[in-house]
Amino acid sequence: MEKVLEVNGLTKLFKNGRGIRDISFDVYQGEIFGFLGPNGAGKTTTMKIITGLSRADRGSVKIFGYDVLTRFEEAMRKVGCIIETVESYEFLSAAKNLEMALRYYPGLDKSRIHEVLELVGLDKYKNEKVGCFSLGMKQRLGLASAILSKPELVILDEPANGLDIEGTVDIRNIITRLAREQGITFFISSHMIHEMEITCDRIGIIEDGRIIRTGIVRELLDQYSSLEDYFITQVREDRGRIA
Amino acid sequence: MNSLTACAVNETERIFLKKKTMVLLIITMLIPVLGAIGVGFFQKGLGIMPVSASEFSVWILGIFTNFLLPLFIGMAAVDLFAGEIGDRSIKITLLRPVSRLGIFSAKIIALAAYIVVNLGIIFLVSSFSTFFLEGKEGLIWGMTKGLLAYNAAILPMLLIAIAAVFIAQLFKNSSGALVILILIYFGLNIVSTVFPGISNLMITSYTDWHLLWTAGWGQLGRIFTVFMFILSYSIIFLASGFYLFERREL
């Protein structure tokens, strides 16, 4: 399978000594790769570096073969993302927010706005200002914005943030449908282990700024009763090794 | 639409879709009208003629370029940089397929468009406002000179915008940035007044550059000198502003 994302030796240390160390992994075309780890493990830092919001002290990131530092525009052309929090212009309507985003993709027309809003269940609110939206609605709009460009890689940092159970299930269904039907590759981070177990094909466990394991979810579930069981075992083993 | 054009259209549209901008544009339209009514009152009631109809639009331009326009431009610059960094909405643009140089350039283009629209509105409204004034002899010539002055005013206002962009990026919230910008602007004006010998070095002293353009051919040398100052400062602030923007981490 073709690599769509290559992360090599990413290291970034903050002044407080925390950060990420020597993070390396690949994401392959058509898979849903999950980045699983507790809060503060380094998931968002890694994703920020991958998407150019932040810079690494060392290491490199290639998206579709383009280095994000030197060929950012080409690297991000087929990428949609939500990093850390969903941002939108609150004084504008949902449709206007998407219309502005659509301008970066010349091949798409305005009917795409209706398509994605319908997909995330926000079509009837398209003319309402985002400032009036609930956290869950903003999260859905963020997902709509991420998939607006018909991307081949979607990077989602905690996509279920702020969503209720129904919203979480909806987002999961959208992700799996887009992956299965349209072959979109997803790279998702979350600390919600059950969601990752049902959604992802492959996972990487990140703990204390390091990737301690990667594995195929189906194979792991043959050996362990649940992903939670696997996660706890790996983290404890790793801590034991360090101690 | 390529990335830079898309970004420039978005940035410009966003400035004009804000209620604050609309309110400021309405104020911008009201000031020349109120100014003309006030001057008309002096002419008719007291027989004093502070400014003739033919010079009115350039007179109004002086009022705007000395304080109001730099303030409006500063507010827009702060919104586009410190404001978007503060509320993190800058991420919306940073995560699209457009380089940081493209985003930075697009924001400067948007500020330039904002300046041109403001000056255009002031020119049109102040020209129509001469209806309230007497002494319309030489009005057409006055308006032609006015048009020249308004075009000339774009450059020093753009310099103010570029300098404001640099300063705004030193702050993480818009209110702090705006207060400091206003203090710096007044500070530089005070320094220019107290030490006139060094006023040529102050970017705030170029805001009345348009007057040189209406003063005749004799000012060509001075126009060129000031142009070189404006150009030099613009390059310095653009380079420093982009350096900060390019290194910004979220």
Side-chain angles (χ1 to χ4, degrees), chain A residues 1-240:
Chain A
M1 270 196 295
E2 191 188 336
K3 284 179 191 172
V4 295
L5 173 64
E6 299 164 64
V7 177
N8 286 307
L10 278 195
T11 299
K12 183 178 180 70
L13 295 174
F14 297 105
K15 283 177 188 164
N16 59 10
R18 293 175 66 187
I20 55 169
R21 292 172 183 82
D22 202 27
I23 298 263
S24 297
F25 63 93
D26 298 320
V27 177
Y28 297 92
Q29 190 172 26
E31 73 173 350
I32 303 177
F33 181 79
F35 216 26
L36 183 63
N39 292 330
K43 301 186 295 289
T44 300
T45 302
T46 308
M47 286 187 150
K48 281 183 175 178
I49 295 170
I50 289 171
T51 52
L53 290 179
S54 184
R55 281 180 181 231
D57 300 336
R58 282 195 304 277
S60 69
V61 176
K62 281 184 181 177
I63 303 178
F64 298 109
Y66 296 109
D67 191 300
V68 288
L69 274 184
T70 54
R71 307 281 298 273
F72 183 79
E73 278 191 55
E74 291 94 333
M76 293 298 282
R77 192 147 285 148
K78 292 185 276 186
V79 178
C81 33
I82 298 177
I83 305 295
E84 199 172 28
T85 47
V86 169
E87 308 299 345
S88 37
Y89 301 113
E90 304 223 331
F91 62 99
L92 300 178
S93 68
K96 190 71 194 171
N97 266 280
L98 295 180
E99 189 188 321
M100 285 191 168
L102 196 72
R103 290 195 178 117
Y104 293 101
Y105 310 98
L108 298 169
D109 63 40
K110 283 189 181 176
S111 64
R112 179 67 183 156
I113 294 171
H114 167 72
E115 266 175 47
V116 290
L117 283 175
E118 199 170 59
L119 190 71
V120 299
L122 283 180
D123 200 35
K124 61 182 170 181
Y125 306 108
K126 66 180 176 189
N127 294 320
E128 283 187 22
K129 286 192 177 164
V130 178
C132 306
F133 279 14
S134 68
L135 192 58
M137 289 165 85
K138 285 179 186 170
Q139 199 72 13
R140 284 165 187 266
L141 180 63
L143 183 63
S145 180
I147 59 173
L148 179 76
S149 63
K150 296 189 175 174
E152 291 178 24
L153 170 65
V154 177
I155 301 172
L156 303 173
D157 186 11
E158 303 278 2
N161 246 357
L163 293 175
D164 53 21
I165 295 169
E166 197 184 351
T168 305
V169 172
D170 284 349
I171 296 286
R172 182 207 310 152
N173 289 340
I174 292 169
I175 291 170
T176 48
R177 207 169 86 205
L178 288 171
R180 307 296 170 240
E181 291 174 7
Q182 297 179 29
I184 297 175
T185 310
F186 280 88
F187 171 34
I188 305 168
S189 86
S190 180
H191 62 278
M192 295 166 76
I193 207 157
H194 179 65
E195 274 309 307
M196 298 295 261
E197 183 178 317
I198 332 178
T199 314
C200 299
D201 302 316
R202 205 159 60 88
I203 58 149
I205 294 177
I206 182 167
E207 155 85 352
D208 198 21
R210 293 171 303 115
I211 288 207
I212 55 173
R213 289 283 186 282
T214 57
I216 296 168
V217 174
R218 210 181 316 119
E219 290 175 6
L220 298 175
L221 291 177
D222 288 340
Q223 300 164 45
Y224 296 85
S225 60
S226 65
L227 197 58
E228 186 180 78
D229 187 23
Y230 172 73
F231 178 81
I232 297 289
T233 310
Q234 298 307 318
V235 168
R236 282 185 183 155
E237 266 181 23
D238 186 67
R239 284 178 188 163

Side-chain angles (χ1 to χ4, degrees), chain B residues 39-182:
Chain B
V39 170
F41 170 76
F42 274 99
Q43 282 180 339
K44 284 175 187 158
L46 304 173
I48 304 166
M49 197 160 120
V51 61
S52 69
S54 61
E55 290 165 342
F56 181 73
S57 66
V58 177
W59 183 69
I60 281 289
L61 178 62
I63 292 173
F64 272 97
T65 55
N66 272 318
F67 177 66
L68 288 175
L69 215 44
L71 176 68
F72 297 168
I73 292 165
M75 287 166 80
V78 161
D79 276 351
L80 284 184
F81 286 87
E84 289 195 5
I85 290 164
D87 67 15
R88 304 180 82 78
S89 60
I90 194 138
K91 267 200 311 185
I92 300 169
T93 315
L94 290 177
L95 292 172
R96 294 294 167 192
V98 55
S99 66
R100 293 233 176 166
L101 178 61
I103 299 171
F104 185 78
S105 309
K107 284 178 183 288
I108 299 291
I109 291 169
L111 286 171
Y114 181 60
I115 291 167
V116 170
V117 168
N118 264 290
L119 287 170
I121 287 174
I122 300 164
F123 177 69
L124 286 175
V125 178
S126 62
S127 297
F128 284 118
S129 300
T130 52
F131 171 76
F132 298 105
L133 301 173
E134 290 174 5
K136 294 193 176 63
E137 305 80 32
L139 186 61
I140 300 297
W141 173 236
M143 280 178 68
T144 312
K145 277 207 311 189
L147 194 59
L148 186 67
Y150 275 79
N151 277 299
I154 294 172
L155 272 189
M157 291 300 108
L158 195 55
L159 171 59
I160 297 280
I162 292 167
V165 162
F166 168 71
I167 296 164
Q169 288 187 86
L170 302 173
F171 297 86
K172 281 186 175 171
N173 68 78
S174 50
S175 48
L178 188 61
V179 169
I180 295 297
L181 271 179
I182 293 171

